[in-house]
Amino acid sequence: NEDLTDYIVPYSPKWKIGGSITYDVPLGNAGMLTLNTNGNYQSQGQMSVFNSINTQLSERFLWDASATWRDAEERYRVTLFVKNILNEKYRIGSN
C-alpha cells in the first residue's frame, strides 16, 4: 500500500473563485435586453491520486459573456453567447 497522505486531492484546487454581473436594458415595446458576463478562476490542481507530472491541472481564468433579448410579451427569447473569451488553453483530462 502506498501512503497518499502528502498528495494533493484530485480535482480539488486550493482556490476556486467566480463572479457574475448581469445588466437589464429595457427596450420599451421591443422587449428587454439582458447582458451578462462572468469569470471563474481556478488555481493549479491535480487529476490523479498519484500526482503525476502529466496529470497536473494548470491555473486558469475563464471569462464568458452573453446577451439575451426577450420580446415584450416574453413569448420569445434569443441568446448569443461567447465562452472562453480570452481563448485560455487548459488540460481537462489525462490518461
Side-chain angles (χ1 to χ4, degrees):
N1 290 343
E2 187 167 342
D3 181 12
L4 303 176
T5 305
D6 294 326
Y7 284 61
I8 298 168
V9 177
Y11 296 101
S12 298
K14 184 173 183 177
W15 296 100
K16 230 177 168 174
I17 301 168
S20 178
I21 297 172
T22 301
Y23 184 71
D24 288 327
V25 180
L27 302 175
N29 291 338
M32 175 78 73
L33 182 64
T34 300
L35 305 173
N36 175 271
T37 187
N38 64 72
N40 294 284
Y41 168 80
Q42 177 177 307
S43 64
Q44 181 178 316
Q46 275 291 338
M47 287 185 274
S48 168
V49 128
F50 300 107
N51 294 182
S52 164
I53 189 72
N54 298 317
T55 60
Q56 293 178 345
L57 290 166
S58 58
E59 172 184 52
R60 66 182 182 239
F61 175 76
L62 300 177
W63 176 31
D64 305 330
S66 67
T68 301
W69 170 82
R70 296 184 311 269
D71 70 312
E73 290 80 35
E74 298 211 18
R75 291 179 301 173
Y76 304 103
R77 180 179 300 217
V78 176
T79 300
L80 301 173
F81 59 90
V82 179
K83 298 196 66 72
N84 194 7
I85 292 170
L86 301 174
N87 197 27
E88 187 81 21
K89 304 240 185 304
Y90 58 96
R91 181 181 292 166
I92 60 169
S94 178
N95 289 324

